[in-house]
Each structure stands twice: as structure tokens, then as C-alpha cells.
Amino acid sequence: MNKGVALRTASVALAVTLAATSTACGTNKSGNGGDSGAPPSGSTSASPLQGSITFNDTKLGELRDKVKAALAGKDMSKVDNAVVVNVVSAYWGAAKTGAEKAARELGVKSTFQEPPTQDISRQLSILNTLVSQGITGLSVSAIQPSSLTSAINGAANRNVNMLAIDSPMQQFQAKVPVYLGTPNYTAGQQAGQAMTKLLPDGGDVAILVGSLTATNATQRIQGFKDAVKGTKIKVFQTYNDNGDAGKALQNASGALQADPGLKAFYTVYSYDGPSAGQAVQAGGKTGKVQVLADDAEPKTLQFLKDGVVQAMILQQPYQQGYMSEYILTAMQVLGTDATVQLLKPYLDTDGYTLSSGIGVVTAQNLAAYNTKLASFGISSS
């Protein structure tokens, strides 16, 4: 998905501010605090949604400091981590920045790799190659967890420490003991709850997604469907684009043609939001067809300012890269059991998920979001 490369620089600037430090004041695991601000210039109406940009920064900052203290004075010269994500996209640029920053802080080796498309065989090849080269720690966003069985077993046989990011791999918990990322079912629920406010009278909703097998995608969609169950909202169709932004645009345009009464899109992968927005704008449906988008690609943010997108449900890819380095380094230096004990007070009730939090940006808290960008010396344009 080559379009993701062109967007990366701007996306990093936006996403880094969501998680680069622990300055935000969120305290719960899902980051459900409220942050309000004046509507941006040009906004014509108030959103019925309550925004939040607190995430789980405070807790993750505490955890980082505890890991750093436990590592103080220890030999980290043999640590060699790798972060492998599921596709080239602007979304992952922030994770790469986070991983590189943490690696510099720790003084450890780190590699970041991303397959050009959501190709399971390519991801498997990347993992096997890294393991054969002697890496000591591996975090991975699995395209399809069940297809990585051989790679996970091979890594475990070589005592490679493993961490799931972005998409859980709980079926391999004995070998991949922690998932670092968004509690995806909860994020889907929040999106569904937001949609009920956007469509109080109900209507058809189309879902755009980059995979029908990735755990993060299936959990988000299920959470969304459960949240709108019993309302007049109906999921018209779920469109899979297999990680291709061009196909996502075709799907969005096709959905508008297939269902003239379509009321909204819920977009799951980062580039799906811009695709839905472009189709809505081109079709003259701005304000008539609502767009609720996961993630904050630069074009999605612009569409929010323009009123094409009504809200963004945000993750923190920066933290997924940043905290990966700290956790994998601790596993190698302190041991897996000792590291899991450090993490335990910060895990969700499932004993597996280390939440990076959930944020919601609307027209009403966009000013606060921009202020947060400016506090790091980053322009929102």
C-alpha cells in the first residue's frame, strides 16, 4: 500500500503527540476521560459526542519508569529487538518513531519492519528471517495469528522474547504473554455508542476494514455491532480491502451506490477514514452521510475540520512501538517472569492486555487536540 508511505511524515507528527509522554491526565485503563474545547474555526454545528484525549498515558509513564529503574546498572549490550507490523501505512510511522526513541533511551539495537501489503506469507518470512539473524525480542502485529504458529514456535525454541501489539494473540499466551495496544472490543463498543448518537433515528451503516481475519479488526467490528444491537441502526455490509487504500475508496464509493439510503460509515483501518471521506465528499454527501473513523491520519483530521468526518476513535501506535522496546528489553535482561510481575498491576482484568488507551476527537475538542500538538512544537496543519 504505497499511499501509506507518502503520508507517513505528517502522520507521525500527529500521532506522536498522543503518546510521546505521560503529560495527559488519564487514569483508567481505557482512557475514557473527557477533554472539551471550543469548536474549530469554520465548524458549523456542535457534535453530540463527548471527546477524550487522555488515553492511558499516566499509567504507561509510571510503568516505563519502573522498568527503567529495574534495568538501571544492568548490561543491555546484547539486546536486539525487532518490531514487525502488518502493512506499510501512515499509522505505523508513529510506532516506528516510538520504537526508535525508546531504543535510543535504552541504548539497545532495534529493527522496524513492515510488509508492503497485508501478505501473510511475507510477514511470516520477515519473522523467520529476523529470528534466524539472532534477535532477542520481537513484537508483532499479526495479520492472521493462526498463520504464525510456526514462526512463534521457532522463536520460542530460540528463546526469543515475544510481545503482541495492535492485534492480540491470546491463543499463544504461553509464548506471547502480553498484548500491548488498544482493547479492541471496547474501542468497537465506543464507536458503536458514538454511532447511536450520530444516528439517533437509526439507518444503514457500512463498515470499511482492511482484514476480516486480524483479531483487532474482528474484535472492533463485534464490539461495534454489539453496541448498536437493539437500535434502529443496521450494518448494511462490511467491505474488506485487504490493506489497499485504493480498494477502500472503491468500496466506499460502491457502498454509496449500492445503498442510496446509507446514513454512515464506520471505518476500522487508518486509511479507511480518508477513503470514506473522499467518497462522501465526491458524492456530495457531506453532512448527510456521517463518517466515524478509527485513527488519525492527516487527511482524516482535515476531513474532521471540514465537517466530512464527524469523529475519530484514536489509538496510540507511538506507545505500541515505544513501550515494546522497554518491555522486550526487560524480558531479555530481567527475565520474562520478572517482567510480567512488573506489568501485572497495569494489565486489564484479563491479565493479558496492557492498554494504550482509547481517545475520541470531535469538532468540540479539536482545539484541545491542536493545543496538545502545539505543546510538542508540532503544527496540526
Side-chain angles (χ1 to χ4, degrees):
M1 192 178 66
N2 293 332
K3 291 185 180 182
V5 177
L7 290 170
R8 168 164 297 145
T9 301
S11 178
V12 169
L14 293 172
V16 164
T17 62
L18 302 179
T21 72
S22 58
T23 56
C25 57
T27 57
N28 63 42
K29 299 256 185 210
S30 296
N32 297 327
D35 294 286
S36 61
S41 175
S43 177
T44 58
S45 62
S47 168
L49 305 181
Q50 176 65 46
S52 166
I53 52 171
T54 57
F55 298 97
N56 197 29
D57 292 339
T58 297
K59 292 294 184 181
L60 291 177
E62 290 176 2
L63 175 58
R64 175 203 57 205
D65 291 345
K66 287 186 177 181
V67 172
K68 188 180 294 186
L71 291 171
K74 300 289 196 301
D75 180 11
M76 293 182 278
S77 62
K78 295 181 180 180
V79 174
D80 188 357
N81 298 324
V83 179
V84 178
V85 299
N86 53 14
V87 70
V88 171
S89 77
Y91 172 85
W92 285 118
K96 183 177 182 181
T97 297
E100 291 174 345
K101 183 175 187 293
R104 289 194 301 270
E105 292 173 355
L106 292 163
V108 300
K109 295 178 182 177
S110 178
T111 300
F112 191 96
Q113 291 203 25
E114 47 199 334
T117 61
Q118 288 210 19
D119 184 331
I120 295 169
S121 62
R122 182 66 177 272
Q123 187 178 55
L124 186 61
S125 176
I126 289 172
L127 295 173
N128 288 333
T129 298
L130 287 168
V131 170
S132 70
Q133 291 173 344
I135 61 165
T136 61
L138 175 66
S139 63
V140 58
S141 171
I143 297 172
Q144 183 173 304
S146 60
S147 298
L148 301 184
T149 301
S150 62
I152 290 170
N153 289 338
N157 290 339
R158 293 197 179 205
N159 297 315
V160 175
N161 304 295
M162 285 179 282
L163 177 69
I165 60 171
D166 184 53
S167 185
M169 294 194 290
Q170 201 157 6
Q171 64 268 53
F172 300 113
Q173 191 169 354
K175 296 171 182 176
V176 188
V178 175
Y179 161 60
L180 167 61
T182 301
N184 288 292
Y185 180 82
T186 303
Q189 280 186 314
Q190 288 198 17
Q193 291 162 5
M195 189 63 77
T196 64
K197 294 178 182 179
L198 290 174
L199 301 179
D201 297 324
D204 289 356
V205 175
I207 297 176
L208 304 183
V209 67
S211 172
L212 295 177
T213 59
T215 306
N216 57 346
T218 59
Q219 289 181 343
R220 281 172 180 264
I221 292 171
Q222 190 60 55
F224 180 88
K225 289 180 176 179
D226 287 349
V228 302
K229 190 179 297 182
T231 73
K232 294 181 179 180
I233 293 173
K234 176 186 175 182
V235 175
F236 168 67
Q237 190 167 333
T238 299
Y239 294 85
N240 179 27
D241 53 65
N242 288 311
D244 186 333
K247 178 64 175 176
L249 177 57
Q250 293 176 16
N251 287 342
S253 299
L256 290 170
Q257 294 174 4
D259 185 358
L262 191 71
K263 294 296 184 182
F265 285 99
Y266 168 47
T267 67
V268 181
Y269 274 34
S270 64
Y271 54 83
D272 287 323
S275 296
Q278 187 175 343
V280 167
Q281 191 176 60
K285 299 285 187 177
T286 298
K288 299 176 183 178
V289 175
Q290 310 289 292
V291 180
L292 181 62
D294 282 344
D295 305 324
E297 292 212 359
K299 188 61 177 176
T300 310
L301 182 63
Q302 184 59 51
F303 278 142
L304 182 69
K305 294 178 180 178
D306 295 341
V308 179
V309 169
Q310 279 62 51
M312 301 182 299
I313 308 296
L314 302 184
Q315 302 185 72
Q316 288 186 298
Y318 179 96
Q319 286 282 29
Q320 293 175 28
Y322 184 80
M323 290 302 297
S324 280
E325 296 292 339
Y326 274 90
I327 294 169
L328 291 174
T329 299
M331 285 179 172
Q332 178 64 21
V333 176
L334 306 175
T336 298
D337 291 343
T339 301
V340 171
Q341 286 302 311
L342 273 175
L343 299 180
K344 188 170 291 186
Y346 299 91
L347 299 178
D348 281 359
T349 54
D350 61 3
Y352 175 66
T353 300
L354 178 60
S355 174
S356 53
I358 302 168
V360 180
V361 169
T362 70
Q364 276 59 59
N365 72 338
L366 184 57
Y369 177 77
N370 288 339
T371 297
K372 192 169 187 178
L373 291 176
S375 72
F376 292 94
I378 299 171
S379 172
S380 62
S381 60

